[in-house]
Amino acid sequence: MKRIAVFPGSFDPFTIGHEGIVRRALVLFDEIIIAVGANALKKSYYSLETRKEMISKVFRDDPEITVDHYEGLTVDYCRKRGAQYLLRGLRTAADFEFERAIAQVNRTIMPDVETVFLLTVPEHASVNSTIVRDIIRSGGDASIFVPAGLNIHDYKGEDL
Ligand code: ADP
């Protein structure tokens, strides 16, 4: 059976931290679906379409990686896509506590979806989308924090 993982997130924007987790997970799974959560209540800086476009560009040469979006519960989306694994990245103890609660609740709701955590590399431990957004909004150069060749400054964000 094909091992399919969903990597869910806001990806507002997608960073080198996210990219690192996905590329390292490629040895574990046959297919990884990067799923942008479309949350009507959570305003994003980059539109859903822009975020999907950026991520698709990063992985345009990787046929095992696809990009999609979803609304509602992540585990429902996993079931819909036939994914047996949920992939998440961990940076800090705070991430762990947050992720632990979500993973345990998800397991209660849907025991056949296993959450798999990968610990980030030390160089990416302090990279997060909020800081990258703040740099961009303030007119700084955030290109070292996003995947190579993304040209993040070509994409327009929306004022929050
Ligand atoms: P969410 O809103 O679901 O937290 P994010 O886009 O912030 O979405 O993150 C998606 C996933 O990527 C989460 O599992 C998060 O812990 C992980 N992640 C974010 N930044 C990094 C990083 N620098 N290194 C490793 N994992 C990361």
XYZ file of all heavy atoms in Angstrom, residues 7-12 15 17-18 21 42 88-91 95 98-99 120 124-125 127-129, ligand 1:
217
model
N 0.859 16.932 5.149
C 1.597 17.916 5.954
C 0.717 19.162 5.985
O 0.693 19.937 5.019
C 2.956 18.196 5.304
C 3.832 19.158 6.089
C 4.040 19.015 7.449
C 4.473 20.217 5.437
C 4.857 19.899 8.162
C 5.294 21.099 6.140
C 5.483 20.944 7.503
N -0.043 19.334 7.069
C -0.969 20.461 7.121
C -0.347 21.686 7.782
O 0.551 21.557 8.615
C -2.109 19.915 8.011
C -1.392 19.018 8.973
C -0.150 18.492 8.272
N -0.806 22.853 7.419
C -0.309 24.061 8.070
C -0.892 25.307 7.454
O -1.634 25.247 6.475
N -0.510 26.438 8.052
C -0.959 27.726 7.506
C -0.014 28.169 6.388
O -0.430 28.804 5.426
C -0.969 28.803 8.594
O -1.532 28.316 9.773
N 1.281 27.911 6.581
C 2.303 28.232 5.573
C 2.171 29.673 5.082
O 2.118 29.935 3.878
C 2.235 27.245 4.401
C 2.255 25.806 4.830
C 1.237 24.926 4.467
C 3.289 25.325 5.632
C 1.254 23.596 4.886
C 3.309 23.993 6.056
C 2.282 23.133 5.667
N 2.144 30.583 6.030
C 1.865 31.991 5.703
C 3.063 32.883 6.050
O 2.979 33.675 6.982
C 0.610 32.417 6.487
C 0.105 33.786 6.063
O 0.310 34.145 4.897
O -0.508 34.487 6.905
N 8.317 28.349 4.716
C 9.704 28.732 5.049
C 10.680 27.579 4.791
O 10.254 26.449 4.503
C 9.816 29.117 6.542
O 9.616 27.926 7.326
C 8.805 30.175 6.943
N 12.133 26.099 7.052
C 11.823 25.111 8.098
C 10.812 24.090 7.585
O 11.004 22.876 7.724
N 9.746 24.578 6.961
C 8.736 23.677 6.382
C 9.368 22.802 5.291
O 9.143 21.602 5.225
C 7.587 24.490 5.752
C 6.826 25.342 6.724
N 6.606 26.688 6.517
C 6.230 25.048 7.905
C 5.898 27.171 7.522
N 5.658 26.204 8.377
N 11.468 19.895 6.601
C 10.680 18.772 7.116
C 10.148 17.926 5.955
O 10.256 16.692 5.964
C 9.494 19.298 7.984
C 10.007 20.033 9.235
C 8.520 18.172 8.362
C 10.734 19.181 10.252
N -9.350 32.664 10.614
C -7.953 33.088 10.812
C -7.494 33.820 9.559
O -7.322 33.214 8.510
C -7.106 31.834 11.067
C -5.776 32.094 11.706
C -5.129 30.762 12.123
C -3.621 30.893 12.229
N -2.982 29.577 12.359
N 4.175 16.419 11.034
C 4.337 17.720 11.695
C 5.805 17.923 12.057
O 6.548 16.964 12.247
C 3.486 17.795 12.975
C 1.991 17.684 12.757
C 1.381 18.892 12.078
N 1.223 20.013 12.993
C 0.769 21.207 12.620
N 0.445 21.439 11.359
N 0.649 22.181 13.490
N 6.200 19.182 12.156
C 7.582 19.498 12.514
C 7.637 20.025 13.939
O 6.709 20.679 14.399
N 8.728 19.733 14.634
C 8.903 20.222 16.003
C 10.163 21.071 16.098
O 11.222 20.671 15.621
C 9.047 19.046 16.976
C 7.847 18.137 17.191
C 8.238 17.017 18.146
C 6.662 18.918 17.758
N 10.010 22.241 16.718
C 11.173 23.104 16.935
C 11.552 23.158 18.402
O 12.713 23.075 18.770
C 10.870 24.546 16.468
C 10.813 24.712 14.986
C 10.105 25.984 14.620
N 8.699 25.883 14.970
C 7.777 26.757 14.619
N 8.117 27.828 13.937
N 6.522 26.582 14.963
N 6.389 23.840 20.983
C 5.801 23.138 19.832
C 5.328 21.762 20.267
O 4.245 21.310 19.923
C 6.848 22.908 18.722
C 6.894 24.024 17.700
O 6.103 24.973 17.812
O 7.745 23.943 16.779
N 2.052 21.779 22.310
C 0.944 22.135 21.434
C 0.601 20.949 20.520
O -0.541 20.525 20.412
C 1.378 23.363 20.620
C 0.370 23.867 19.639
C -0.757 24.574 20.062
C 0.540 23.650 18.272
C -1.680 25.041 19.144
C -0.380 24.117 17.350
C -1.502 24.817 17.789
N 1.635 20.394 19.916
C 1.431 19.303 18.960
C 0.954 18.020 19.646
O 0.199 17.253 19.069
C 2.740 19.009 18.209
C 3.235 20.156 17.345
C 2.364 20.407 16.119
O 1.592 19.509 15.745
O 2.469 21.502 15.550
N 13.200 19.491 13.886
C 13.870 20.371 12.929
C 15.396 20.365 13.126
O 15.891 20.014 14.201
C 13.318 21.813 13.057
O 13.744 22.567 11.932
C 13.795 22.493 14.322
N 17.207 25.666 11.683
C 15.839 26.114 11.378
C 14.979 26.307 12.629
O 13.809 26.640 12.527
C 15.139 25.092 10.458
C 15.755 24.988 9.101
N 15.456 23.971 8.241
C 16.645 25.785 8.463
C 16.145 24.127 7.114
N 16.885 25.221 7.231
N 15.601 26.073 13.792
C 14.797 26.068 15.016
C 14.145 27.414 15.314
O 13.090 27.481 15.947
C 15.651 25.619 16.190
N 13.289 29.662 12.934
C 12.585 30.204 11.757
C 11.094 29.968 11.943
O 10.655 28.839 12.156
C 13.057 29.496 10.463
C 12.263 29.974 9.266
C 14.550 29.706 10.254
N 10.327 31.035 11.889
C 8.876 30.828 11.900
C 8.190 31.849 11.000
O 8.718 32.932 10.731
C 8.310 30.790 13.324
C 8.273 32.133 13.987
O 7.637 33.056 13.510
N 8.987 32.251 15.094
N 7.013 31.488 10.539
C 6.311 32.303 9.544
C 6.000 33.707 10.053
O 6.017 34.671 9.279
C 5.005 31.618 9.122
O 5.285 30.404 8.483
P 0.158 25.798 11.889
O -0.729 26.981 11.770
O -0.514 24.483 11.623
O 1.051 25.757 13.107
P 2.531 26.405 10.390
O 2.558 26.815 8.970
O 3.002 27.410 11.370
O 1.078 25.947 10.611
O 3.380 25.080 10.596
C 3.093 23.854 9.979
C 3.997 22.767 10.568
O 5.345 23.077 10.303
C 3.891 22.612 12.077
O 4.039 21.260 12.419
C 5.058 23.411 12.594
O 5.490 22.956 13.862
C 6.080 23.093 11.519
N 7.114 24.116 11.425
C 6.973 25.451 11.320
N 8.172 26.068 11.256
C 9.107 25.081 11.332
C 10.547 25.058 11.347
N 11.273 26.184 11.299
N 11.155 23.852 11.439
C 10.427 22.732 11.515
N 9.083 22.665 11.527
C 8.432 23.825 11.429
